[in-house]
Amino acid sequence: MGADAGIALVGASETMPWTYWLIRNLADHGHPGPVWPVNPRQPAVHGLPALGGIDELPGVPAAAVCLLRPDRAEAAVDQLCALGTPTIVLVSNGFRETGDPDATAREARIAARCRAAGVRLIGPNCVGYGHFGDRLVLVAEPLPAGLGIGPVSVASQSGALLSGVLGAVAAGGVGLSRAYSIGNGAAFGLTEAVEEFAADDGASVLVLVLEAIADPDRFAAAVAHCRAGGKSVVALRLARSARSAAVARSHTGAVVGTDRLAAAWLDRLGVVPADSIEELTVLVRLLTTRTGAGDGVFVLTGSGGAAGYAADLAARHGVALADLAPATAAALREVLPPGVFIGNPLDLTGADARRKERVRELIYTDPAVGAVLEPYALPWPDDSADRHWFRDGLTGLAAASTRHGRPTLTASVYGEQPTRWVAELAGGAPLVVGPSLVAAMAAAGKIFPATRAAGSTDLTGPAEPDPAGPAAADEPAAADEPVAAGGPVAAGGPVAAGGPVAAGGPVAADGVVAEAEAREVLAGLGLPLVSGVVVDDPGDAGGYAAGLRGPVAVKAAVAGLAHKGRVGGVRLDLTTPAEVTAACERMRADLTAAGVAGPVRFLVQRMVRGPEVLVGLVRDPTAGPAVTIGVGGWAVELVPPLATLALPSPFPDAEAAIADLIGSCGLGRAIGADRTAELVPLVAELARHFVDGELRDYATVEINPVVLTPDGPQAVDALLIR
């Protein structure tokens, strides 16, 4: 059925803004066919004659939009399906999103009816869709002016943000191929949109506004199909502050949360993250103009201050600054005055137009340069007579970008929206114009990342840890809840070590495995554990401690108790058997007073010294398995994790991936090459077992801390959650 067939608007009304925007958008984007409002109570809707019912339609519509309340929408969908309507947009809300069982059942019936009839259902609770190349734009909200046809598609689970995202695309001077408001996605969801995009020859970049992914395996396969076809997928994620209660029972979950797990998973899929709608303007334009040459950005500025500001922003947002070839640097020295520092950023203060053009010529042709960025510190030019110098400068920039076929990014230093003159200039060249240098640098860091390893997500920003922060404390630390911070750059606090591990330990109702059993599981995998003994009696604990050298730690061994220190379940730096016995007696009393159920047993360990690292593995319902490596001990909840990696299955290159992860996030520099080399096999073996080995039945496996002793890494405290 051609795009010139009629469009039915069932429930259209003069008083409903959705109706107005549907009719307006169809007209503005050139739909050639008739529009048939259906409303038995109004003879005309916005100048169009209205029909009394679906049975009065003069033909089978190319698409129908249902604007009726839920109880009437179901019957209307049945009629439209029987008529053979190929696509139905259910704008109406009041379905599954309400949480009402009856409303949820009604949505399921409508979806099943459409599937059985071979009808594509968009929604409910959405604002419609647009096929811009087919001049069929059924969107029930205002769209930005001048939105043309182009290589970008958008699929949004949020109807309210669809116009904003389309505005960002239009502001970047890029046109649309398709746009979908997914809504509840009863039959056509986010994954279906990605699958359709993969087969769309007119689109090269897909922007997703996503809240949740119901079918992660199918979604991942669809993204892989897109990337195999040379297409880019960008995601603006919403509701990112939510955490999973099941994951947050561990330290790893508390500091990682579902947001960072999802980020690591999407990163492994090759999805480009967008942190703001403003950033999208630059991202989509860069992705549609990048030629594939060079992996770095070269920054040209007109002042020393701008160069310093740009360098700071590049470091903050992880932008890879291109290192020029020696031949390029030598040629620049011949062009520029003596004493000019040849670096990136390059300050061209005082350079005339001829010299600046020669510099651009050299920069654009350097093989390391994938894009050029020139911050713009002046008011954007318009058509006024006093802005002709500004126009000349930007025209030269656009000409250089066009001549060399490399994208050039320019952005306002102080955050000014580009004028229409600038937008029109950029539309005819690979010139990317951003409203702010901050958003431009953030976007550049996503396309040209400086240090991020493949498949990993750096969660802390700057790679260097702060030596003055909690990670540098040199205090005693041990077990589950040490007394003071002891991180990877610490000189090392004592942590428990000692004799054999006792078997046993139940699994609590919430899945938390008692530490004695957890340690036995990990010891069975060959993990280097700081050993200890579990006893029932405080006197036996004191007797065992008498045979140990150095300070001793005692921890409560109770099923279901994930964080022992918070309820008095950890005692450190005990030096005599009497102190150990007294500490156990006091611990039992404290835990009983805190309402801890079940018998209290005691794990006794000798304390050892060394920098501490957290190694945590969690299994997210959407993101799947992931490993986080970060600051160990109690400080983990004060210092963010250094990096999280979504784990593929199978995981044949575990050692290389873990080494890249540790090296990319700064931990390797903090603990040194030797300790990194010792830590990598331990983490890689844990990750392999967690993905598809002996630990595949656990939701969380956390070793906090792993102590980097002179004899190699040793795991001190183990938390397993089934």
Side-chain angles (χ1 to χ4, degrees):
M1 185 172 297
D4 57 346
I7 304 297
L9 306 181
V10 182
S13 171
E14 287 270 5
T15 61
M16 184 185 295
W18 291 343
T19 302
Y20 171 80
W21 289 112
L22 283 163
I23 294 173
R24 171 73 179 271
N25 288 330
L26 282 166
D28 285 352
H29 290 272
H31 179 65
V35 177
W36 301 316
V38 177
N39 188 327
R41 296 181 179 84
Q42 294 180 8
V45 177
H46 296 299
L48 299 174
L51 305 175
I54 293 173
D55 55 354
E56 296 182 17
L57 288 170
V60 179
V65 181
C66 184
L67 301 154
L68 299 169
R69 65 176 189 250
D71 57 338
R72 297 178 58 200
E74 186 172 2
V77 169
D78 284 346
Q79 282 186 276
L80 290 166
C81 286
L83 193 61
T85 308
T87 300
I88 298 174
V89 180
L90 189 50
V91 172
S92 314
N93 59 8
F95 290 91
R96 174 167 50 93
E97 78 279 1
T98 66
D100 178 73
D102 291 338
T104 301
R106 177 178 286 120
E107 179 180 311
R109 288 195 301 270
I110 290 174
R113 178 73 174 90
C114 289
R115 279 192 291 266
V119 173
R120 185 170 64 162
L121 173 69
I122 311 296
N125 188 32
C126 73
V127 297
Y129 77 102
H131 288 183
F132 291 83
D134 295 333
R135 296 180 294 172
L136 179 60
V137 180
L138 280 170
V139 178
E141 65 180 18
L143 295 179
L147 192 62
I149 300 170
V152 177
S153 288
V154 175
S156 174
Q157 289 180 310
S158 168
L161 282 183
L162 181 64
S163 289
V165 172
L166 297 185
V169 173
V174 187
L176 267 293
S177 175
R178 302 187 182 194
Y180 286 103
S181 169
I182 300 298
N184 291 5
F188 183 88
L190 197 72
T191 297
E192 285 82 1
V194 179
E195 290 170 341
E196 184 178 284
F197 167 73
D200 181 6
D201 293 335
S204 60
V205 176
L206 173 64
V207 177
L208 302 177
V209 181
L210 60 90
E211 297 170 348
I213 299 171
D215 45 3
D217 290 342
R218 185 177 166 193
F219 175 86
V223 170
H225 189 193
C226 291
R227 298 194 65 224
K231 298 172 182 284
S232 300
V233 180
V234 180
L236 175 68
R237 293 184 297 119
L238 308 180
R240 295 172 54 177
S241 60
R243 288 181 180 174
S244 164
V247 170
R249 282 181 291 172
S250 67
H251 282 301
T252 306
V255 295
V256 177
T258 55
D259 168 57
R260 283 169 171 153
L261 294 174
W265 178 65
L266 290 170
D267 182 68
R268 182 169 65 80
L269 297 182
V271 175
V272 180
D275 293 319
S276 68
I277 292 179
E278 292 79 9
E279 192 180 306
L280 275 175
T281 298
V282 182
L283 273 174
V284 296
R285 182 71 171 155
L286 272 176
L287 287 169
T288 54
T289 57
R290 186 181 180 189
T291 61
D295 293 322
V297 176
F298 197 91
V299 182
L300 289 171
T301 71
S303 73
Y309 183 46
D312 289 344
L313 288 177
R316 183 186 310 168
H317 294 286
V319 180
L321 295 180
D323 292 324
L324 296 178
T328 306
L332 286 171
R333 290 189 184 93
E334 294 179 3
V335 174
L336 296 172
V340 173
F341 175 73
I342 306 298
N344 187 6
L346 179 62
D347 175 14
L348 294 181
T349 301
D352 58 30
R354 182 191 61 80
R355 182 173 286 168
K356 185 177 291 186
E357 182 54 37
R358 177 56 181 151
V359 168
R360 285 176 177 160
E361 180 89 16
L362 292 169
I363 297 301
Y364 277 112
T365 54
D366 189 275
V369 177
V372 175
L373 187 152
E374 293 199 23
Y376 199 79
L378 300 171
W380 291 117
D382 51 28
D383 292 321
S384 61
D386 60 347
R387 299 287 175 89
H388 67 91
W389 289 289
F390 304 170
R391 291 195 294 272
D392 290 346
L394 280 182
T395 300
L397 189 61
S401 179
T402 301
R403 186 164 56 253
H404 297 288
R406 301 276 179 93
T408 299
L409 177 57
T410 186
S412 172
V413 171
Y414 55 91
E416 180 191 21
Q417 287 293 332
T419 62
R420 180 181 294 275
W421 185 93
V422 174
E424 291 175 353
L425 175 70
L431 183 63
V432 183
V433 179
S436 83
L437 188 57
V438 173
M441 280 292 194
K446 308 296 175 55
I447 309 299
F448 301 96
T451 58
R452 189 174 2 146
S456 69
T457 300
D458 185 350
L459 303 176
T460 59
E464 294 288 353
D466 182 0
D474 185 13
E475 296 292 336
D480 174 73
E481 303 284 350
V483 175
V489 296
V495 182
V501 179
V507 178
D510 64 355
V512 178
V513 179
E515 184 165 356
E517 181 185 351
R519 290 168 54 82
E520 188 174 64
V521 169
L522 297 176
L525 302 179
L527 189 74
L529 286 166
V530 176
S531 58
V533 65
V534 176
V535 298
D536 296 313
D537 184 74
D540 292 341
Y544 177 75
L548 301 179
R549 292 182 302 167
V552 172
V554 177
K555 298 181 291 182
V558 180
L561 187 58
H563 300 309
K564 296 173 280 296
R566 295 175 183 172
V567 290
V570 176
R571 296 290 190 274
L572 304 177
D573 288 318
L574 307 173
T575 58
T576 68
E579 285 183 351
V580 172
T581 299
C584 291
E585 291 171 345
R586 179 64 182 171
M587 185 184 298
R588 179 169 282 169
D590 288 346
L591 266 62
T592 301
V596 174
V600 177
R601 307 172 78 207
F602 309 100
L603 172 63
V604 185
Q605 298 173 301
R606 182 176 64 85
M607 299 182 72
V608 296
R609 291 181 178 273
E612 300 169 24
V613 176
L614 171 138
V615 178
L617 300 111
V618 292
R619 205 177 304 276
D620 184 77
T622 297
V627 60
T628 290
I629 303 174
V631 175
W634 171 81
V636 65
E637 293 194 23
L638 299 181
V639 181
L642 293 174
T644 293
L645 171 69
L647 299 174
S649 178
F651 197 10
D653 300 320
E655 283 82 359
I658 298 300
D660 285 345
L661 183 68
I662 294 174
S664 70
C665 66
L667 181 59
R669 292 191 298 276
I671 65 177
D674 291 344
R675 283 172 168 162
T676 298
E678 293 173 343
L679 182 62
V680 165
L682 183 152
V683 180
E685 189 67 12
L686 275 171
R688 276 194 291 255
H689 279 292
F690 193 69
V691 170
D692 50 19
E694 297 299 319
L695 300 175
R696 61 186 177 275
D697 294 330
Y698 292 91
T700 297
V701 173
E702 180 178 280
I703 315 298
N704 180 32
V706 174
V707 183
L708 306 178
T709 74
D711 298 324
Q714 296 186 46
V716 174
D717 195 54
L719 171 65
L720 271 63
I721 302 176
R722 291 195 187 278

